[in-house]
Amino acid sequence: MANVSPTRGDMTSHPDVSEMRDRYARMLGGRDVTLLDGPVFLLGLYCAVSPWILHYTTSQPALVTHNLVVGIAIGLLALGFTRAPERMYGLSWAFCAIGVWMIIAPWVVGDSPDAGVVVNNIIIGALAVILGLMCAGTAAKSAPRS
């Protein structure tokens, strides 16, 4: 066993210093996109509750269910981005696809939606596309090159 007594003041002579540096670099390696996890989660939360905020629960029941399910899916993606970023940032493109779907959903899922419902979904969809592109770009930039 290595002598790791508290009398030494620096870590440079520690027997596992190279392994600790490598582990630290691996842990921080793909986390350039940390600032996007929160906005993605908040977007999913808003998407899920937006029918009740904008009061279209009775006029568009299909869109209420749709936005709730898609909002939960976006929130789960955000939690995945936070928990296992090295495995989840490949789904950034799927997040962009969800954004495009949110833009066209009022006409596909809804029943002659009014302007407020359409604008709400377009804003949510555009933000999802923008955040998804930012996640994908950051993940591609921080991916290890071989």
Coordinates of all heavy atoms in Angstrom, one line a residue, residues 59-146:
S59 N -61.1 23.5 -25.4 CA -61.3 23.7 -26.8 C -60.4 22.8 -27.6 O -60.7 22.5 -28.8 CB -61.0 25.2 -27.2 OG -59.6 25.5 -26.9
Q60 N -59.3 22.3 -27.1 CA -58.3 21.4 -27.8 C -57.9 20.2 -26.9 O -56.8 20.1 -26.5 CB -57.1 22.2 -28.2 CG -57.3 23.3 -29.1 CD -57.7 22.9 -30.5 OE1 -57.4 21.8 -31.0 NE2 -58.5 23.7 -31.2
P61 N -58.8 19.3 -26.6 CA -58.5 18.2 -25.7 C -57.4 17.3 -26.3 O -56.5 16.8 -25.5 CB -59.8 17.5 -25.5 CG -60.6 17.9 -26.6 CD -60.2 19.2 -27.0
A62 N -57.3 17.1 -27.6 CA -56.3 16.3 -28.1 C -54.9 17.0 -28.0 O -53.9 16.3 -27.7 CB -56.5 16.0 -29.6
L63 N -54.8 18.3 -28.1 CA -53.6 19.0 -27.9 C -53.1 19.0 -26.5 O -51.9 19.1 -26.2 CB -53.6 20.4 -28.5 CG -53.3 20.5 -30.0 CD1 -53.5 21.9 -30.5 CD2 -51.8 20.1 -30.2
V64 N -54.1 19.0 -25.6 CA -53.8 19.0 -24.2 C -53.0 17.7 -23.8 O -51.9 17.8 -23.3 CB -55.0 19.1 -23.3 CG1 -54.7 18.8 -21.8 CG2 -55.7 20.4 -23.4
T65 N -53.5 16.6 -24.3 CA -52.8 15.3 -24.0 C -51.5 15.3 -24.8 O -50.5 14.8 -24.2 CB -53.7 14.1 -24.5 OG1 -54.9 14.2 -23.8 CG2 -53.0 12.8 -24.2
H66 N -51.5 15.8 -26.0 CA -50.3 15.8 -26.8 C -49.2 16.6 -26.1 O -48.0 16.1 -26.0 CB -50.6 16.4 -28.2 CG -49.4 16.6 -29.0 ND1 -48.7 17.8 -29.0 CD2 -48.7 15.8 -29.9 CE1 -47.7 17.8 -29.8 NE2 -47.6 16.6 -30.4
N67 N -49.5 17.8 -25.7 CA -48.5 18.7 -25.1 C -48.0 18.1 -23.8 O -46.8 18.2 -23.4 CB -49.0 20.1 -24.9 CG -48.9 20.9 -26.2 OD1 -48.8 20.3 -27.3 ND2 -49.0 22.2 -26.1
L68 N -48.9 17.5 -23.0 CA -48.5 16.9 -21.8 C -47.5 15.7 -22.0 O -46.4 15.7 -21.4 CB -49.7 16.3 -21.0 CG -49.4 15.6 -19.7 CD1 -48.8 16.6 -18.7 CD2 -50.7 15.0 -19.2
V69 N -47.8 14.9 -23.0 CA -46.9 13.7 -23.3 C -45.5 14.2 -23.8 O -44.5 13.8 -23.4 CB -47.6 12.7 -24.2 CG1 -46.6 11.7 -24.7 CG2 -48.7 12.1 -23.5
V70 N -45.6 15.2 -24.8 CA -44.3 15.7 -25.4 C -43.5 16.4 -24.3 O -42.3 16.3 -24.3 CB -44.6 16.5 -26.6 CG1 -43.4 17.2 -27.1 CG2 -45.2 15.7 -27.7
G71 N -44.2 17.2 -23.5 CA -43.5 17.9 -22.4 C -42.8 17.0 -21.4 O -41.6 17.2 -21.0
I72 N -43.5 15.9 -21.1 CA -42.8 14.9 -20.2 C -41.6 14.2 -21.0 O -40.6 14.0 -20.3 CB -43.9 13.8 -19.8 CG1 -44.9 14.4 -18.8 CG2 -43.2 12.6 -19.2 CD1 -46.1 13.6 -18.5
A73 N -41.8 14.0 -22.3 CA -40.7 13.4 -23.0 C -39.5 14.3 -23.0 O -38.3 13.9 -22.9 CB -41.1 13.1 -24.4
I74 N -39.7 15.6 -23.3 CA -38.6 16.6 -23.3 C -38.0 16.7 -21.9 O -36.8 16.7 -21.8 CB -39.2 18.0 -23.7 CG1 -39.5 18.0 -25.2 CG2 -38.1 19.1 -23.5 CD1 -40.3 19.2 -25.6
G75 N -38.8 16.7 -20.8 CA -38.2 16.7 -19.5 C -37.4 15.4 -19.2 O -36.3 15.5 -18.6
L76 N -37.8 14.3 -19.7 CA -37.0 13.1 -19.5 C -35.7 13.1 -20.3 O -34.7 12.6 -19.8 CB -37.8 11.8 -19.9 CG -39.0 11.5 -18.9 CD1 -39.8 10.3 -19.5 CD2 -38.4 11.1 -17.6
L77 N -35.8 13.7 -21.5 CA -34.5 13.9 -22.3 C -33.6 14.8 -21.5 O -32.4 14.5 -21.4 CB -34.8 14.6 -23.6 CG -35.2 13.6 -24.8 CD1 -35.6 14.4 -26.0 CD2 -34.1 12.7 -25.1
A78 N -34.1 15.9 -20.9 CA -33.2 16.8 -20.1 C -32.6 16.0 -18.9 O -31.4 16.2 -18.6 CB -34.0 18.0 -19.6
L79 N -33.4 15.2 -18.2 CA -32.8 14.5 -17.1 C -31.8 13.5 -17.6 O -30.8 13.3 -16.9 CB -34.0 13.7 -16.4 CG -34.9 14.6 -15.6 CD1 -36.0 13.8 -15.0 CD2 -34.2 15.4 -14.5
G80 N -32.0 12.9 -18.8 CA -31.0 12.0 -19.3 C -29.7 12.7 -19.7 O -28.6 12.3 -19.5
F81 N -29.9 14.0 -20.3 CA -28.8 14.8 -20.6 C -27.9 15.1 -19.4 O -26.7 15.1 -19.4 CB -29.2 16.1 -21.2 CG -29.8 16.0 -22.6 CD1 -30.5 17.1 -23.1 CD2 -29.6 14.9 -23.4 CE1 -31.1 17.0 -24.4 CE2 -30.1 14.8 -24.7 CZ -30.9 15.9 -25.2
T82 N -28.6 15.3 -18.2 CA -27.9 15.6 -17.0 C -27.3 14.3 -16.4 O -26.1 14.4 -15.9 CB -28.9 16.2 -16.0 OG1 -29.5 17.3 -16.6 CG2 -28.2 16.5 -14.7
R83 N -28.0 13.2 -16.4 CA -27.5 12.0 -15.7 C -26.4 11.3 -16.5 O -25.5 10.8 -15.9 CB -28.7 11.1 -15.5 CG -28.4 9.8 -14.8 CD -28.1 10.1 -13.3 NE -27.8 8.9 -12.7 CZ -26.6 8.6 -12.0 NH1 -25.7 9.6 -11.9 NH2 -26.4 7.5 -11.5
A84 N -26.6 11.1 -17.8 CA -25.7 10.3 -18.6 C -25.4 11.1 -19.9 O -25.8 10.6 -21.0 CB -26.2 8.9 -18.9
P85 N -24.7 12.2 -19.9 CA -24.5 13.0 -21.1 C -23.8 12.3 -22.2 O -24.1 12.5 -23.3 CB -23.7 14.2 -20.5 CG -23.1 13.8 -19.3 CD -24.0 12.7 -18.7
E86 N -22.8 11.5 -21.9 CA -22.0 10.9 -22.9 C -22.8 9.9 -23.7 O -22.5 9.6 -24.9 CB -20.8 10.2 -22.3 CG -21.1 9.0 -21.4 CD -21.5 9.5 -20.0 OE1 -21.3 10.6 -19.6 OE2 -22.0 8.6 -19.2
R87 N -23.9 9.4 -23.2 CA -24.8 8.5 -23.9 C -26.0 9.2 -24.5 O -26.6 8.7 -25.4 CB -25.3 7.4 -23.0 CG -24.2 6.4 -22.7 CD -24.7 5.2 -21.9 NE -24.3 5.5 -20.5 CZ -24.9 4.9 -19.4 NH1 -25.9 4.1 -19.6 NH2 -24.5 5.2 -18.2
M88 N -26.4 10.3 -23.9 CA -27.7 10.9 -24.3 C -27.5 12.0 -25.4 O -28.5 12.3 -26.0 CB -28.4 11.5 -23.1 CG -28.9 10.5 -22.1 SD -30.2 9.5 -22.8 CE -31.5 10.8 -22.9
Y89 N -26.4 12.6 -25.5 CA -26.3 13.7 -26.4 C -26.4 13.3 -27.9 O -26.6 14.1 -28.8 CB -25.1 14.6 -26.2 CG -25.3 15.5 -25.0 CD1 -24.5 15.4 -23.9 CD2 -26.3 16.3 -24.9 CE1 -24.7 16.1 -22.8 CE2 -26.6 17.1 -23.8 CZ -25.8 17.0 -22.8 OH -26.0 17.8 -21.6
G90 N -26.4 12.0 -28.2 CA -26.7 11.5 -29.5 C -28.2 11.8 -29.8 O -28.6 11.8 -31.0
L91 N -29.0 11.9 -28.8 CA -30.4 12.1 -28.9 C -30.8 13.6 -29.1 O -31.9 14.0 -29.2 CB -31.2 11.6 -27.7 CG -31.3 10.1 -27.6 CD1 -32.0 9.7 -26.3 CD2 -32.0 9.5 -28.8
S92 N -29.8 14.4 -29.3 CA -30.0 15.9 -29.5 C -30.7 16.1 -30.8 O -31.6 16.9 -31.0 CB -28.7 16.6 -29.5 OG -28.0 16.5 -28.3
W93 N -30.4 15.2 -31.8 CA -31.1 15.3 -33.1 C -32.6 14.9 -32.9 O -33.5 15.5 -33.6 CB -30.4 14.5 -34.2 CG -29.1 15.0 -34.4 CD1 -27.9 14.5 -34.1 CD2 -28.8 16.3 -35.1 NE1 -26.8 15.3 -34.5 CE2 -27.4 16.4 -35.1 CE3 -29.5 17.3 -35.6 CZ2 -26.7 17.5 -35.7 CZ3 -28.9 18.4 -36.2 CH2 -27.5 18.5 -36.2
A94 N -32.9 13.9 -32.1 CA -34.3 13.6 -31.8 C -35.0 14.7 -31.1 O -36.2 15.0 -31.4 CB -34.3 12.3 -30.9
F95 N -34.3 15.5 -30.3 CA -34.9 16.7 -29.7 C -35.2 17.7 -30.7 O -36.3 18.4 -30.7 CB -33.9 17.2 -28.6 CG -34.4 18.3 -27.8 CD1 -35.7 18.3 -27.3 CD2 -33.6 19.4 -27.5 CE1 -36.2 19.3 -26.5 CE2 -34.1 20.4 -26.7 CZ -35.4 20.4 -26.2
C96 N -34.4 17.8 -31.8 CA -34.7 18.7 -32.9 C -36.0 18.3 -33.6 O -36.8 19.1 -34.0 CB -33.5 18.8 -33.8 SG -32.1 19.6 -33.2
A97 N -36.1 17.0 -33.8 CA -37.2 16.4 -34.5 C -38.5 16.6 -33.7 O -39.6 16.9 -34.2 CB -37.1 14.9 -34.7
I98 N -38.4 16.5 -32.3 CA -39.5 16.9 -31.5 C -39.9 18.3 -31.6 O -41.1 18.6 -31.7 CB -39.2 16.5 -30.0 CG1 -39.1 15.0 -29.8 CG2 -40.2 17.2 -29.1 CD1 -38.6 14.6 -28.4
G99 N -39.0 19.2 -31.8 CA -39.3 20.6 -32.0 C -40.0 20.8 -33.3 O -41.0 21.6 -33.3
V100 N -39.6 20.2 -34.4 CA -40.3 20.3 -35.6 C -41.7 19.8 -35.5 O -42.6 20.4 -36.0 CB -39.5 19.6 -36.8 CG1 -40.3 19.5 -38.0 CG2 -38.1 20.3 -37.0
W101 N -41.8 18.7 -34.8 CA -43.2 18.1 -34.6 C -44.1 19.1 -33.8 O -45.2 19.2 -34.2 CB -43.1 16.8 -33.9 CG -44.5 16.3 -33.5 CD1 -44.9 16.1 -32.3 CD2 -45.5 15.9 -34.4 NE1 -46.2 15.7 -32.3 CE2 -46.6 15.5 -33.6 CE3 -45.6 15.8 -35.8 CZ2 -47.8 15.1 -34.2 CZ3 -46.8 15.3 -36.3 CH2 -47.9 15.0 -35.5
M102 N -43.5 19.7 -32.8 CA -44.3 20.7 -32.0 C -44.8 21.8 -32.9 O -45.9 22.4 -32.7 CB -43.5 21.2 -30.9 CG -43.3 20.3 -29.7 SD -44.9 19.8 -29.0 CE -45.4 21.3 -28.3
I103 N -44.0 22.2 -33.9 CA -44.4 23.3 -34.8 C -45.6 22.9 -35.6 O -46.5 23.7 -35.8 CB -43.2 23.8 -35.6 CG1 -42.2 24.4 -34.7 CG2 -43.7 24.7 -36.7 CD1 -40.8 24.7 -35.4
I104 N -45.6 21.7 -36.1 CA -46.7 21.3 -37.0 C -47.9 20.6 -36.3 O -49.0 20.4 -36.9 CB -46.2 20.4 -38.2 CG1 -45.6 19.1 -37.6 CG2 -45.2 21.1 -39.0 CD1 -45.3 18.1 -38.7
A105 N -47.7 20.3 -35.0 CA -48.7 19.5 -34.3 C -50.1 20.2 -34.2 O -51.1 19.5 -34.2 CB -48.2 19.2 -32.9
P106 N -50.2 21.5 -34.0 CA -51.5 22.1 -33.9 C -52.4 21.8 -35.1 O -53.6 21.6 -34.9 CB -51.2 23.6 -33.8 CG -49.9 23.7 -33.3 CD -49.1 22.6 -33.8
W107 N -51.9 21.7 -36.3 CA -52.7 21.4 -37.4 C -52.9 19.9 -37.6 O -53.9 19.5 -38.2 CB -52.0 22.0 -38.7 CG -52.0 23.5 -38.6 CD1 -53.0 24.4 -38.8 CD2 -50.8 24.3 -38.3 NE1 -52.6 25.7 -38.6 CE2 -51.2 25.7 -38.3 CE3 -49.5 24.0 -38.0 CZ2 -50.4 26.7 -38.0 CZ3 -48.6 25.0 -37.7 CH2 -49.1 26.4 -37.7
V108 N -52.0 19.1 -37.2 CA -52.1 17.7 -37.3 C -53.0 17.1 -36.2 O -53.9 16.3 -36.5 CB -50.7 17.0 -37.3 CG1 -50.8 15.5 -37.4 CG2 -49.9 17.5 -38.5
V109 N -52.7 17.5 -35.0 CA -53.4 16.9 -33.8 C -54.6 17.7 -33.4 O -55.6 17.1 -33.1 CB -52.4 16.8 -32.6 CG1 -53.1 16.3 -31.4 CG2 -51.2 15.9 -32.9
G110 N -54.5 19.0 -33.6 CA -55.6 19.9 -33.1 C -56.8 19.9 -34.1 O -56.7 19.4 -35.2
D111 N -57.8 20.6 -33.6 CA -59.1 20.7 -34.3 C -59.3 22.2 -34.5 O -59.8 22.9 -33.6 CB -60.2 20.1 -33.6 CG -61.5 20.1 -34.3 OD1 -61.5 20.2 -35.6 OD2 -62.6 20.2 -33.7
S112 N -58.9 22.7 -35.7 CA -58.9 24.2 -36.0 C -58.5 25.0 -34.8 O -59.3 25.7 -34.2 CB -60.3 24.6 -36.5 OG -61.3 24.3 -35.6
P113 N -57.2 25.0 -34.5 CA -56.7 25.7 -33.3 C -56.7 27.2 -33.6 O -56.6 27.7 -34.7 CB -55.2 25.2 -33.2 CG -54.9 24.8 -34.6 CD -56.1 24.3 -35.2
D114 N -56.8 27.9 -32.5 CA -56.8 29.4 -32.6 C -55.3 29.9 -32.6 O -54.4 29.1 -32.4 CB -57.6 30.1 -31.5 CG -57.1 29.8 -30.1 OD1 -56.1 29.0 -30.0 OD2 -57.7 30.3 -29.1
A115 N -55.2 31.2 -32.8 CA -53.8 31.8 -32.9 C -53.0 31.5 -31.7 O -51.8 31.3 -31.8 CB -53.9 33.2 -33.2
G116 N -53.5 31.6 -30.5 CA -52.7 31.5 -29.3 C -52.1 30.1 -29.2 O -51.0 29.9 -28.8
V117 N -52.9 29.1 -29.5 CA -52.4 27.7 -29.4 C -51.3 27.5 -30.5 O -50.3 26.9 -30.2 CB -53.6 26.7 -29.7 CG1 -53.1 25.3 -29.8 CG2 -54.6 26.8 -28.6
V118 N -51.5 28.0 -31.7 CA -50.5 27.9 -32.7 C -49.2 28.6 -32.3 O -48.1 28.0 -32.5 CB -51.1 28.4 -34.1 CG1 -50.0 28.4 -35.1 CG2 -52.3 27.5 -34.5
V119 N -49.3 29.8 -31.9 CA -48.1 30.6 -31.5 C -47.4 29.9 -30.4 O -46.2 29.8 -30.4 CB -48.5 32.0 -31.2 CG1 -47.3 32.7 -30.5 CG2 -48.9 32.8 -32.4
N120 N -48.1 29.4 -29.4 CA -47.5 28.7 -28.3 C -46.7 27.5 -28.8 O -45.6 27.3 -28.4 CB -48.6 28.2 -27.3 CG -48.1 27.5 -26.1 OD1 -47.2 28.0 -25.4 ND2 -48.5 26.2 -25.9
N121 N -47.3 26.7 -29.6 CA -46.6 25.5 -30.1 C -45.4 25.8 -31.0 O -44.4 25.2 -31.0 CB -47.5 24.5 -30.8 CG -48.2 23.6 -29.8 OD1 -48.5 24.0 -28.6 ND2 -48.5 22.4 -30.2
I122 N -45.6 26.9 -31.8 CA -44.5 27.3 -32.6 C -43.3 27.8 -31.8 O -42.1 27.5 -32.1 CB -44.9 28.4 -33.6 CG1 -45.8 27.7 -34.7 CG2 -43.7 29.1 -34.3 CD1 -46.4 28.7 -35.7
I123 N -43.6 28.5 -30.7 CA -42.5 29.0 -29.9 C -41.8 27.8 -29.2 O -40.6 27.8 -29.1 CB -43.0 30.1 -28.9 CG1 -43.4 31.3 -29.6 CG2 -42.0 30.3 -27.8 CD1 -44.1 32.4 -28.8
I124 N -42.6 26.9 -28.6 CA -42.0 25.8 -28.0 C -41.2 25.0 -29.0 O -40.1 24.5 -28.7 CB -43.1 24.9 -27.3 CG1 -43.8 25.6 -26.2 CG2 -42.5 23.5 -26.9 CD1 -45.0 24.8 -25.6
G125 N -41.7 24.7 -30.2 CA -41.0 24.0 -31.2 C -39.7 24.6 -31.6 O -38.7 24.0 -31.8
A126 N -39.8 26.0 -31.8 CA -38.6 26.7 -32.2 C -37.5 26.7 -31.2 O -36.3 26.4 -31.5 CB -38.9 28.1 -32.6
L127 N -37.9 26.8 -29.9 CA -36.9 26.7 -28.8 C -36.3 25.3 -28.7 O -35.1 25.2 -28.5 CB -37.6 27.1 -27.5 CG -37.8 28.6 -27.3 CD1 -38.6 28.9 -26.0 CD2 -36.5 29.4 -27.3
A128 N -37.2 24.3 -28.9 CA -36.7 22.9 -28.9 C -35.7 22.7 -30.0 O -34.6 22.0 -29.8 CB -37.8 21.9 -29.0
V129 N -35.9 23.2 -31.2 CA -35.0 23.0 -32.3 C -33.7 23.8 -32.0 O -32.6 23.2 -32.2 CB -35.6 23.5 -33.6 CG1 -34.6 23.6 -34.7 CG2 -36.8 22.6 -34.1
I130 N -33.8 25.0 -31.5 CA -32.6 25.8 -31.2 C -31.8 25.1 -30.1 O -30.5 24.9 -30.3 CB -33.0 27.2 -30.8 CG1 -33.5 28.0 -32.0 CG2 -31.8 27.9 -30.2 CD1 -34.2 29.3 -31.7
L131 N -32.4 24.7 -29.0 CA -31.7 24.0 -28.0 C -31.1 22.7 -28.4 O -30.0 22.3 -28.0 CB -32.6 23.8 -26.7 CG -32.9 25.1 -26.0 CD1 -34.0 24.8 -24.9 CD2 -31.7 25.7 -25.3
G132 N -31.9 21.9 -29.2 CA -31.4 20.7 -29.8 C -30.2 20.8 -30.6 O -29.2 20.1 -30.6
L133 N -30.2 21.9 -31.5 CA -29.0 22.2 -32.3 C -27.8 22.6 -31.5 O -26.7 22.2 -31.8 CB -29.3 23.3 -33.3 CG -30.3 22.8 -34.5 CD1 -30.6 24.1 -35.3 CD2 -29.6 21.8 -35.3
M134 N -28.1 23.3 -30.4 CA -27.0 23.7 -29.5 C -26.4 22.5 -28.8 O -25.2 22.4 -28.7 CB -27.5 24.8 -28.5 CG -27.7 26.1 -29.1 SD -28.5 27.3 -28.0 CE -27.2 27.6 -26.9
C135 N -27.3 21.6 -28.4 CA -26.8 20.4 -27.7 C -26.0 19.5 -28.7 O -24.9 19.0 -28.4 CB -28.0 19.6 -27.2 SG -28.7 20.2 -25.7
A136 N -26.5 19.4 -29.9 CA -25.9 18.5 -30.9 C -24.5 19.1 -31.3 O -23.5 18.4 -31.4 CB -26.7 18.4 -32.1
G137 N -24.5 20.5 -31.5 CA -23.2 21.1 -31.8 C -22.2 21.0 -30.7 O -21.0 20.7 -31.0
T138 N -22.6 21.2 -29.5 CA -21.7 21.1 -28.4 C -21.2 19.7 -28.2 O -20.0 19.4 -27.9 CB -22.3 21.6 -27.1 OG1 -22.8 22.9 -27.4 CG2 -21.3 21.7 -26.0
A139 N -22.1 18.7 -28.4 CA -21.7 17.3 -28.2 C -20.7 16.9 -29.3 O -19.8 16.2 -29.1 CB -22.9 16.4 -28.2
A140 N -21.0 17.4 -30.5 CA -20.1 17.1 -31.6 C -18.7 17.7 -31.4 O -17.7 17.1 -31.7 CB -20.7 17.5 -33.0
K141 N -18.7 18.9 -30.9 CA -17.4 19.6 -30.6 C -16.6 19.0 -29.5 O -15.4 18.9 -29.6 CB -17.7 21.1 -30.2 CG -16.5 21.9 -30.0 CD -16.9 23.4 -29.7 CE -17.4 23.4 -28.3 NZ -17.7 24.7 -27.8
S142 N -17.3 18.5 -28.5 CA -16.6 17.9 -27.4 C -16.4 16.4 -27.5 O -15.8 15.8 -26.6 CB -17.3 18.2 -26.0 OG -18.6 17.6 -26.0
A143 N -16.9 15.8 -28.6 CA -16.7 14.3 -28.8 C -15.2 14.0 -29.0 O -14.5 14.8 -29.6 CB -17.5 13.9 -29.9
P144 N -14.7 12.9 -28.4 CA -13.3 12.6 -28.6 C -13.0 12.3 -30.1 O -13.8 11.6 -30.8 CB -13.1 11.3 -27.7 CG -14.5 10.8 -27.5 CD -15.4 11.9 -27.6
R145 N -11.9 12.8 -30.6 CA -11.5 12.6 -32.0 C -10.6 11.4 -32.0 O -9.7 11.2 -31.2 CB -10.8 13.8 -32.5 CG -11.5 15.1 -32.2 CD -12.2 15.7 -33.5 NE -12.7 17.0 -33.3 CZ -14.0 17.3 -33.1 NH1 -14.8 16.3 -33.0 NH2 -14.4 18.5 -32.9
S146 N -10.8 10.6 -33.1 CA -9.9 9.4 -33.2 C -9.0 9.5 -34.4 O -9.1 10.3 -35.2 CB -10.8 8.1 -33.3 OG -11.7 8.2 -34.3

